[in-house]
Amino acid sequence: MVKVVSINDQTGQVSFAGIPATRGAQVAIDEINDTKFLGDTTIDVEYLDSASAPQTAASLATQAVAGRKYSAILGGILTTEAFTVAPIAEKAKVPVIFTQSNGEGVVIGDYTFRATASFTRYYDVMGSYLKDKGVKTIALLYNSDVASYKELAALIEDWDSEFGISIVASKSVVSSTQDFTAPIASLVDAKPDAVAKFLLGTANATALQQLRQAGFDGPVVSTNSDSGGIIAGAGPDGANNAWPTDFSSAQTDDAAVKFVAAYKAKFDGEVPNLYAAEGYDAVWWLARAIKEAGSADPEDIQEGLVAVSKTGFSGVTGDITFDGNEFVLENPRVVEWNGEAETLVEP
């Protein structure tokens, strides 16, 4: 048996992402063990709740590596948590695989891995998307205390030269903000053609409603924080909102259809989102590394993870390639929310 610990957000601000990531991992574990992918060896995961708190994540990681009973760590969603966990794993030489945790400075050495492509590596696809819609100006609303969202806001500053889209207004708010009336009024006054909205969780639905109530009816681009129905609460106001992603339940390829069916069967009809798909692919990366290593030793598994990254593999998020220790998203999908469901934008 290979023992693994999952340190992820089952409660707290990003539990909307941590719970499905954990459930996707559980679907993968079932498949790996039931199909005897590792022969008579099974993977056993202990699930711990970091509660969207960096200090809690660090404490759990410290305890996990101190006992030397785990072969690997499945990390959480928040970049701020990853900042605390990554150096602990590196020092202890226990491989950790994060999902999301999109900020720079997460993959810091030989033992830190990320089963998600960084936002900033593929978000320009939304610049092309807006250019095709004739957008010339954009306003920004983003969480200033989310590192990856600050990086995205900075990236859009280059859209003027790349896509002819200039920023006419920008407002930052902390992630605990639930009323966006004042910053949105300022943004709408600037009369942008489009709005970029980088917020965590259910705040996205609130912001969309308030944008429409303020009279803005143009396109909105956001992040995969909107995925999996998180913006369903916006109702019709959620329409004309799009984001790039590595997975959508609207996909019709065989791997995605099979995964969606397995996930729904295990979790009472719940439809998986991209966080679930990334959690699933992260565990399959780990399983392939264990098979490559032929060992439960953390240092051997680290070498196995690197070996798998050199060849890539096919997952539910697509044919996965790597840049060093992290996924690359070469062909991001663009998803639109039509007010009721996700629809894939045809390339």
Side-chain angles (χ1 to χ4, degrees):
M1 179 185 294
V2 180
K3 292 188 69 65
V4 175
V5 61
S6 169
I7 302 174
N8 211 328
D9 308 272
Q10 304 306 290
T11 59
Q13 192 174 31
V14 293
S15 60
F16 71 90
I19 290 172
T22 298
R23 290 179 174 178
Q26 290 172 330
V27 172
I29 293 295
D30 287 349
E31 291 180 1
I32 292 159
N33 292 342
D34 291 348
T35 62
K36 294 189 177 294
F37 179 77
L38 298 174
D40 291 332
T41 299
T42 59
I43 300 177
D44 180 65
V45 182
E46 181 177 357
Y47 297 96
L48 304 178
D49 180 14
S50 54
S52 304
Q55 298 88 345
T56 301
S59 177
L60 293 174
T62 299
Q63 295 171 38
V65 302
R68 302 300 297 180
K69 67 176 182 178
Y70 300 111
S71 299
I73 300 169
L74 298 174
I77 299 293
L78 274 176
T79 296
T80 50
E81 288 182 27
F83 285 159
T84 68
V85 173
I88 294 168
E90 280 289 336
K91 184 176 180 180
K93 294 187 175 181
V94 176
V96 55
I97 305 174
F98 297 103
T99 55
Q100 293 297 305
S101 300
N102 269 281
E104 294 297 324
V106 169
V107 181
I108 60 173
D110 294 338
Y111 286 82
T112 47
F113 300 84
R114 180 161 51 197
T116 305
S118 174
F119 283 144
T120 55
R121 293 186 178 217
Y122 64 86
Y123 200 81
D124 278 345
V125 68
M126 301 311 294
S128 297
Y129 170 86
L130 291 176
K131 181 179 180 180
D132 289 345
K133 289 180 172 291
V135 168
K136 300 292 185 182
T137 59
I138 192 167
L140 313 183
L141 176 66
Y142 66 96
N143 289 146
S144 58
D145 54 346
V146 178
S148 55
Y149 292 171
K150 288 177 65 178
E151 291 169 13
L152 283 186
L155 179 147
I156 291 179
E157 293 177 4
D158 295 329
W159 280 9
D160 193 7
S161 59
E162 293 183 43
F163 305 109
I165 300 172
S166 58
I167 299 172
V168 292
S170 179
K171 290 291 181 180
S172 64
V173 294
V174 295
S175 55
S176 59
T177 303
Q178 291 299 317
D179 183 359
F180 305 95
T181 305
I184 282 174
S186 177
L187 297 182
V188 172
D189 282 348
K191 301 188 183 305
D193 296 331
V195 170
K197 170 186 63 62
F198 307 143
L199 306 172
L200 285 177
T202 55
N204 285 286
T206 302
L208 279 167
Q209 288 178 313
Q210 293 178 347
L211 265 172
R212 303 314 186 193
Q213 289 165 4
F216 181 76
D217 60 1
V220 178
V221 293
S222 56
T223 73
N224 50 31
S225 185
D226 280 0
S227 71
I230 199 74
I231 58 169
D237 290 334
N240 203 13
N241 180 56
W243 62 91
T245 186
D246 54 12
F247 175 83
S248 169
S249 59
Q251 290 171 223
T252 57
D253 57 281
D254 289 345
V257 170
K258 179 182 175 183
F259 169 64
V260 170
Y263 189 98
K264 290 172 71 174
K266 187 173 179 66
F267 297 110
D268 298 323
E270 178 182 324
V271 177
N273 57 20
L274 82 152
Y275 305 113
E278 291 172 354
Y280 177 92
D281 280 349
V283 171
W284 269 106
W285 182 11
L286 176 61
R288 286 174 166 84
I290 294 168
K291 192 168 191 173
E292 179 78 25
S295 167
D297 181 79
E299 295 186 40
D300 292 339
I301 290 175
Q302 182 273 338
E303 293 179 0
L305 287 165
V306 172
V308 174
S309 73
K310 294 183 183 302
T311 60
F313 67 95
S314 181
V316 295
T317 57
D319 291 329
I320 297 166
T321 58
F322 293 79
D323 181 5
N325 287 5
E326 61 185 308
F327 284 12
V328 173
L329 187 55
E330 294 181 348
N331 297 298
R333 302 168 180 90
V334 175
V335 169
E336 291 179 342
W337 181 261
N338 63 14
E340 297 180 351
E342 294 181 12
T343 59
L344 286 172
V345 177
E346 293 299 324

